[in-house]
Structures are given as C-alpha cells and as structure tokens.
Amino acid sequence: MSAIDLLLLHPPSVYDFRRKTIMYGPISDLIPSSPVFEMYPLGFLTMTDYLESRGLKVRIVNLALRMMNDPAFDVAKFLARLKPRAIGIDLHWLPHAHGSIEVAKLVKKCHPQVPVIFGGLSATYFHRELIELPQVDYVLRGDAIEPQLFSLLTRLSCGQALDDVANLTWKFADEVRINPPAPLPVTADYADLKPQRIMKMVLRYRDLQSVLPFNGWWQNPITAVFTVKGCAHECATCGGSHQANELINIRHAPTFRSPQNLVKNILDISRFSKGPVFLVGDLHQAGEEHVLQVLKGLKSAHVKNEIVFEVFGMPPLSYLRVIDDHVANWSLELSPESNYEQIRGVQDEKVFYKNSEMEAVIREALRLRCHRIDVFFMIGLSQQTRASVLGSIDYCEKLFQTSDARLSCFISPMGPFVDPGSRCFEEPERYGYSLFARTLEEHRQLLVQPSWEQILNYETRWMSREELVDVTYDAAEVLNSLKLKYGRIESGRGQEVAERINRARALKDRLRQGRTEQTVLNPTERDMLLGEIHDFSVSTVCDKRELFWRNHPVNFRWLGILRTVFDFCYEEIFSRWRRG
Ligand code: B12
Ligand code: SF4
C-alpha cells in the first residue's frame, strides 16, 4: 500500500449516530446530505490538489458516509489498519462538533504518535477551546491554508520548528502557541478542485466508497466550483458573511477565482461528468467584466453541462440575457429567505431589493432558456413570526401561479445552529435571539439531545424552539400540498412527503410529551429511533429528489475517466521504475 502523508477524515455530525436515539429533524432536507452531514468540505479537494502537486500523498476517507452505508463498518478497526504520517479532521460545520472530537479520540487511541490536525471554519472560531483537548495537536486557522498545511506537514516530517507556520495554533510543552496569520492570497487560483486527483486516489487505494461526497452522488453527480472565498453580503444569520469573515478569517473583502481559472475548473469537471456544475457564490459580486469573461470562456470551451448560477442580490435583467447568450443549459438559485421586505432588510443590511425586482428576474429567466429556478425560504429569521412564515407559503402560491413547472419553492428551518461568527451569534440581543450554547463543548452536548427541538442552539423573541419546530411542519405541509396542486411534484412523491410529515410530527409530539411528563420512550419507540437518520428526518419538508437535476441516461464521460486511468497507470509504472 502507498504511504499516506496526510489522511483526511470527514466525521459524522454525531458519533456514533448508529447507536443513538435522536430525532434530528429536517435540518438537512435542502442539501444533498442526511442529518449525518456526510458531505466533506470542498476544501478537501483543494488541499489534496495543492499537496499532491508538491509530491505528497493524500487520502480522503469519508467516515460519515462509510458508517451510513455499512452498519457493520468498524471505524476503529479501519483506522488501525492505515499508517498515515499525519491525520486531518474537519470541523468546518459546527454540526460536526460531536463527531469530529470523538473521531479524534479514536484516532489518538489507534495512532498515539501521529499528529492530529484540525481545520475548517468552526475549528478556526473555536481554536483555543479545541487545542486544550488532548486528542488535538494542531489547529490550522482560516479558509486559505493550503500553503500553511504543506509547510506544517513538511516540517513535521523532518522535525523542524513550527514557530514559522502561519495560522497555526499548537501546543509546545504545556503552553498553547498561536502563530500569526499569513496574508491572504489575492485570488483563489492558487488551489484547484481537480477531480482527476480523486479518481487517482480511488485507484491508488482501491477504495471508491471513501471519497464519495454524499449518499446517492453516483446517481446524481452534482459538482461544485467555488467562485469566491468570503462574501460581500451581510446576512445576519450567516457564518460566511462579510463581517463573519472579518472576524474568523481576517478577510476584509471577497477573494475571487479568476475567470480563466474558473473556466478551467469547470472544464476539468466536464471531462468526466455530464452532471450539473454549481457555481458557488454570486458571480455578479465580482463585477460585469468578470462575469463576461467567465461566460465567454464557457462559450468558447463548449461546455455542455448545466451551469447553476446563484444570485444573492437581484441582478439587472441584462445579466440574465448575457448568461443566456453564452450558456445553453443554465439554472438559477434564489434565496430571498422571506418575502417580507422588512425581514429581509434586517437579514441583509447591506443589500436590499424589492419583491417586484425578484419577480421581474424570475419572469425574465423563464422567458429565456433557464431550465430551472429554485426559490429558497428560511424559518428562524429575526422578526419572523408564525404568521409571516405561513405568509411566505402564500407567496409561494403566487409564484406558482405566475410561473411554470420550471420554478419551485423550498422552505426549511435554520438548523441545527445559528452560525458562530454571524451577527446573530455575536450580538444575539440586538437581533432578538436567545442562544442555548456559546462554546464548542456546549454545542457538542446539544447535538446528542433527544430531538431537534432541544438541539437547536437558538430561539427568537418571535418564536420559541417549540414554535419554530411546529411552524416548520405546518409550513412544509401546506407547501407540499401546493406543489401537488400546481404540478411541481409527482402525486406519489407528494403523498409520501405528506405521510412523512405526519409521522415526524407525531414523534415530535411524543418526545415533547415525554419531556414535560418526565417519562422516557417505551422500548418500541426506542427501537424505532435507534440509529435512525432517515425515517423522521429526511424528506419531511420536501422530497429530497426535488433537489436534484434531471439525470442523463449516462451521467459520466467514460473516455475522460479512462484517460485518467491510463495516466495513473503510467505514473505508477514510472515511479516504480525510478524506485528501481
Ligand atoms: C458551498 C457551501 C455549502 C455546500 C457544500 C460545499 C462543500 N462540500 O464544501 C452545501 C450547499 C451542500 C452546504 C451545506 C451546508 N452548509 Co454550507 N456553505 C457553503 C458556502 C456558501 C461556501 C463554502 C466554500 O465553498 N468554501 C470554499 C472551500 C474551498 O473551502 P472550504 O471547504 O471552506 O475549505 C477550506 C477551509 O475551511 C479549511 N478546511 C476545511 N476543512 C479542513 C480540514 C483540515 C484538516 C484543515 C487543515 C483545513 C480545513 O481549509 C480549506 C482550504 O483552505 C459557505 C458560505 C461562505 N460564504 O463561505 C457555507 C457555510 C460554510 N455552510 C454552512 C452551513 C451551516 C452548512 C450546513 C450545515 C447547512 C445545513 N444545515 O444544511 C450544511 C452542511 C453540509 C454537509 N457537511 O453535509 C455555514 C457554516 C457555519 C459553521 N461554522 O458551521 C456557512 C459558513 C454559511 C451558511 N450558513 O451556509 N454548504
Ligand atoms: S447567506 Fe448571505 S452572507 Fe452568507 S454566503 Fe450567502 S449571501 Fe453571503
């Protein structure tokens, strides 16, 4: 087996969810993952590319997905068989506060001498607390740390001092050291998302399962290219907003991927996949000239994949026309969060648009060749009441009436946590929030509460946790019936969602009753919930399949994949020959 310089592990949100009785709730219904949050950070791919192009060997293991797909998968046994020189664990999303720390404990037990490195947004935010844990040796702070990671790994391998490794929080003797951060790169071009590296990883370790990003990816091979690090917007609940970036990543303005590099990344993907490519971040943030260069590049490269554009503010209609002129297959993602302009004004103080502007964008996109428009609403915003959540569902009906089957609407609760670093987390009183957890340890404990009603780390002046939970099911139920009425969902699927909502609601009531009457679940109920991540927590605010794009009869470009296989064989033979 090839040596591994860095083993990157993606933990489940809760360890070991297979042995817990928790009702996670619909906290992941609008993303491809389950409540285990099995998708690993995109950064795993950029770190792999950066390190491997400098001669190191990286292996990604999506522990969360392996555990989901195989109830007998023995994590400790699996880890004990590997012989990595260093281990990286992501604590990017705070919902991994339990899983990441528990996996690190296991890792330390199997490999006490191997350095354990944490990274990601939440690890950065909580670096001081994290470094106090015996199972954590290093925390690399920030979201552009590929060069620092390379420097750390090379220094560790030859026993050099670590004082010069920027962004590093570490222990030296009994002392915690916090090295200063490096200046941020000017563009995001320094590290790509090369899918070829992952294919080679599959061949090298003969392990496909460990690198898949989420359950069902094989059938729905959606891929993403991030166009920007950071964001120009100020959404009050977001831990990736402009002000959260200032606080966590010391980033004062977004860092964009250049148009040429962006097109190159998309092309790399299109060589092996026919699936949609999601452009993460609103391209329009970088300015019209930037957009035009990207679109021209896509046109001249003849990329056939569907390109999914997100818009954060409302762009001028000419933006849509330019997209349409250059890209044949495109879709649009809109996240107004609420149709109440006043609520939206509090959510993003910097950028304001009227509903009429959004409706004009929708009309124009539908007039053009846009294949699909998804409109997202959220529950748990400042100033939002039960009535205004239900009012958003009325607004969805209006959108259904004035559009066609290409447009659909989604609503979900903000959960399980309001993001650390966001304005609502940093100044909860100002935005009308009460927080139930502030530290990493408090969040770790919240994650293993019996139901999502107790897992939520917040409630607002306008809705308690109970009300947030109740209105979620009520709004989802009405929205589902509207989707049936306006032909946005097949009737069988809509029926299933309705039944799932009823079942989830009944269990939620039973858990609530148990809590107030201080009783515990009876054995049948316990059995029903043991290890349960699907029945009561997936497809309860919409059918998960609604998130995916139409499939191609063949999703992959096998010629591109074969070429990578040949490249890999050639490289292996060459390197063996060199080693003699
Ligand atoms: C794209 C995106 C997604 C995509 C997933 C993309 C992916 N696989 O990474 C989707 C839409 C699926 C998604 C889902 C979720 N997201 Co999201 N997402 C984003 C977004 C918009 C951009 C992130 C990005 O592209 N980063 C660029 C890539 C290249 O960098 P990176 O992955 O962060 O990796 C770098 C560093 O973080 C670090 N790093 C990461 N891991 C590790 C590990 C080690 C060992 C080391 C050393 C370093 C390291 O180094 C990397 C390279 O420099 C941000 C908002 C923003 N403006 O940043 C929110 C954001 C990250 N998401 C957030 C949240 C809450 C979620 C969800 C939990 C929401 C939910 N309840 O459904 C889920 C979790 C999904 C899962 N794990 O299954 C919050 C996180 C706040 C927090 N601290 O917890 C953010 C900040 C804002 C938000 N609310 O959306 N998300
Ligand atoms: S939620 Fe708002 S602040 Fe966060 S990434 Fe999206 S647009 Fe930016």
Side-chain angles (χ1 to χ4, degrees):
M1 183 179 285
S2 317
I4 304 170
D5 293 298
L6 178 68
L7 172 65
L8 283 172
L9 298 177
H10 179 59
S13 55
V14 171
Y15 194 88
D16 179 345
F17 62 92
R18 297 174 300 186
R19 295 191 177 83
K20 299 260 190 297
T21 48
I22 299 177
M23 183 194 190
Y24 298 94
I27 49 170
S28 64
D29 256 357
L30 296 195
I31 55 162
S33 303
S34 74
V36 167
F37 290 118
E38 70 271 17
M39 194 188 269
Y40 54 77
L42 276 173
F44 271 23
L45 305 184
T46 53
M47 289 190 280
T48 299
D49 183 45
Y50 193 93
L51 298 176
E52 295 219 327
S53 59
R54 284 160 182 78
L56 300 188
K57 290 266 188 300
V58 181
R59 178 167 182 188
I60 293 175
V61 174
N62 188 344
L63 279 181
L65 189 64
R66 299 287 312 253
M67 291 170 77
M68 270 175 76
N69 286 345
D70 178 3
F73 179 72
D74 186 331
V75 180
K77 218 165 162 188
F78 176 85
L79 290 174
R81 276 205 305 267
L82 304 177
K83 301 278 173 265
R85 297 197 171 109
I87 295 176
I89 300 177
D90 68 281
L91 173 53
H92 183 47
W93 296 282
L94 191 53
H96 293 92
H98 190 276
S100 61
I101 290 173
E102 298 303 314
V103 166
K105 249 189 224 162
L106 259 178
V107 157
K108 264 290 168 221
K109 228 173 166 182
C110 312
H111 301 290
Q113 305 308 329
V114 177
V116 172
I117 308 164
F118 264 65
L121 268 183
S122 302
T124 303
Y125 187 90
F126 291 109
H127 68 112
R128 287 169 196 272
E129 201 179 330
L130 210 45
I131 201 68
E132 297 293 343
L133 301 175
Q135 65 268 40
V136 180
D137 299 310
Y138 304 100
V139 183
L140 262 178
R141 310 181 315 272
D143 69 348
I145 50 72
E146 288 82 353
Q148 292 84 321
L149 181 58
F150 179 68
S151 156
L152 174 63
L153 293 173
T154 44
R155 278 159 193 260
L156 283 174
S157 72
C158 44
Q160 283 172 344
L162 302 177
D163 304 83
D164 290 340
V165 181
N167 299 59
L168 187 67
T169 299
W170 55 300
K171 295 176 233 197
F172 187 73
D174 278 343
E175 189 191 314
V176 170
R177 297 203 175 172
I178 301 177
N179 295 357
L184 287 168
V186 192
T187 74
D189 295 3
Y190 71 93
D192 291 335
L193 291 155
K194 279 207 198 97
Q196 301 92 306
R197 297 240 180 248
I198 300 303
M199 286 186 254
K200 288 181 186 175
M201 199 183 284
V202 170
L203 295 168
R204 197 185 307 135
Y205 302 109
R206 296 186 192 90
D207 179 4
L208 169 66
Q209 286 191 60
S210 292
V211 299
L212 293 177
F214 59 87
N215 218 2
W217 183 83
W218 207 237
Q219 291 77 38
N220 298 288
I222 184 161
T223 48
V225 176
F226 69 97
T227 66
V228 60
K229 282 187 185 234
C231 183
H233 289 252
E234 276 305 13
C235 300
T237 51
C238 177
S241 66
H242 173 255
Q243 79 84 42
N245 260 281
E246 293 236 356
L247 181 74
I248 303 173
N249 297 322
I250 336 274
R251 172 179 287 114
H252 308 296
T255 311
F256 296 101
R257 197 175 271 289
S258 74
Q260 298 72 17
N261 188 268
L262 185 53
V263 173
K264 177 180 159 294
N265 273 260
I266 298 172
L267 260 175
D268 278 343
I269 291 175
S270 72
R271 288 203 183 97
F272 82 94
S273 165
K274 293 183 184 174
V277 183
F278 196 104
L279 299 189
V280 176
D282 185 348
L283 255 195
H284 202 247
Q285 287 186 98
E288 305 214 336
E289 186 45 41
H290 184 104
V291 170
L292 203 62
Q293 283 190 42
V294 173
L295 295 175
K296 278 185 179 158
L298 286 177
K299 187 169 186 173
S300 57
H302 304 290
V303 173
K304 295 204 176 61
N305 303 55
E306 177 125 8
I307 307 292
V308 185
F309 294 86
E310 292 192 276
V311 294
F312 296 162
M314 277 311 129
L317 301 185
S318 56
Y319 177 55
L320 305 175
R321 292 179 202 130
V322 180
I323 293 180
D324 203 62
D325 280 346
H326 292 83
V327 183
N329 300 314
W330 62 284
S331 315
L332 201 57
E333 302 284 291
L334 306 174
S335 301
E337 317 286 27
S338 170
N339 60 309
Y340 292 84
E341 291 172 355
Q342 189 195 338
I343 296 178
R344 260 203 330 258
V346 179
Q347 171 70 354
D348 186 352
E349 281 168 8
K350 267 196 174 166
V351 179
F352 178 79
Y353 56 85
K354 290 181 153 308
N355 286 341
S356 53
E357 289 172 70
M358 181 173 74
E359 287 155 21
V361 162
I362 290 175
R363 269 196 306 277
E364 185 63 6
L366 290 174
R367 190 186 69 76
L368 299 166
R369 290 179 294 175
C370 181
H371 281 155
R372 164 173 174 154
I373 306 179
D374 293 331
V375 189
F376 292 95
F377 294 89
M378 193 155 85
I379 300 172
L381 301 170
S382 184
Q383 301 202 2
Q384 199 181 35
T385 58
R386 178 179 167 84
S388 57
V389 170
L390 296 174
S392 293
I393 305 298
D394 294 339
Y395 184 71
C396 293
E397 177 158 32
K398 179 180 160 192
L399 292 181
F400 288 151
Q401 285 165 342
T402 52
S403 63
D404 58 43
R406 286 176 290 168
L407 177 143
S408 197
C409 296
F410 300 88
I411 191 157
S412 75
M414 175 173 64
F417 301 146
V418 59
D419 297 348
S422 67
R423 287 185 291 145
C424 293
F425 192 87
E426 301 306 316
E427 305 171 77
E429 302 80 20
R430 180 170 160 213
Y431 292 91
Y433 283 72
S434 309
L435 298 184
F436 296 98
R438 295 303 298 248
T439 63
L440 185 60
E441 174 55 19
E442 285 164 355
H443 283 94
R444 196 184 71 87
Q445 288 175 17
L446 276 187
L447 282 160
V448 284
Q449 295 304 307
S451 118
W452 70 288
E453 192 165 298
Q454 294 146 280
I455 295 174
L456 290 179
N457 74 347
Y458 71 99
E459 64 186 14
T460 71
R461 198 182 297 151
W462 304 272
M463 281 190 276
S464 65
R465 286 200 279 198
E466 284 82 355
E467 286 166 318
L468 287 163
V469 167
D470 288 347
V471 78
T472 295
Y473 292 117
D474 297 347
E477 187 170 47
V478 185
L479 183 57
N480 182 52
S481 65
L482 289 175
K483 285 185 183 169
L484 280 166
K485 180 173 168 190
Y486 291 97
R488 292 328 197 248
I489 184 169
E490 285 165 26
S491 103
R493 288 188 182 184
Q495 290 304 331
E496 267 175 45
V497 173
E499 283 160 26
R500 294 175 79 84
I501 292 176
N502 279 335
R503 280 211 306 270
R505 200 189 257 137
L507 180 66
K508 172 265 296 178
D509 288 341
R510 173 70 190 92
L511 286 167
R512 193 181 287 170
Q513 184 197 5
R515 213 167 68 235
T516 48
E517 291 166 15
Q518 300 288 304
T519 55
V520 284
L521 292 178
N522 67 40
T524 328
E525 288 168 330
R526 271 192 67 80
D527 274 1
M528 219 167 62
L529 256 187
L530 184 67
E532 178 46 57
I533 54 166
H534 187 263
D535 280 4
F536 306 100
S537 300
V538 170
S539 292
T540 48
V541 296
C542 67
D543 184 305
K544 221 173 188 59
R545 288 167 293 188
E546 289 177 61
L547 299 179
F548 297 116
W549 269 251
R550 67 204 154 111
N551 265 325
H552 295 270
V554 181
N555 283 323
F556 295 94
R557 293 187 209 282
W558 292 104
L559 205 61
I561 294 176
L562 269 178
R563 240 179 243 141
T564 309
V565 175
F566 284 132
D567 272 3
F568 170 79
C569 296
Y570 177 77
E571 284 166 20
E572 283 292 291
I573 292 166
F574 185 66
S575 77
R576 271 180 209 175
W577 174 73
R578 272 209 328 199
R579 286 200 303 263

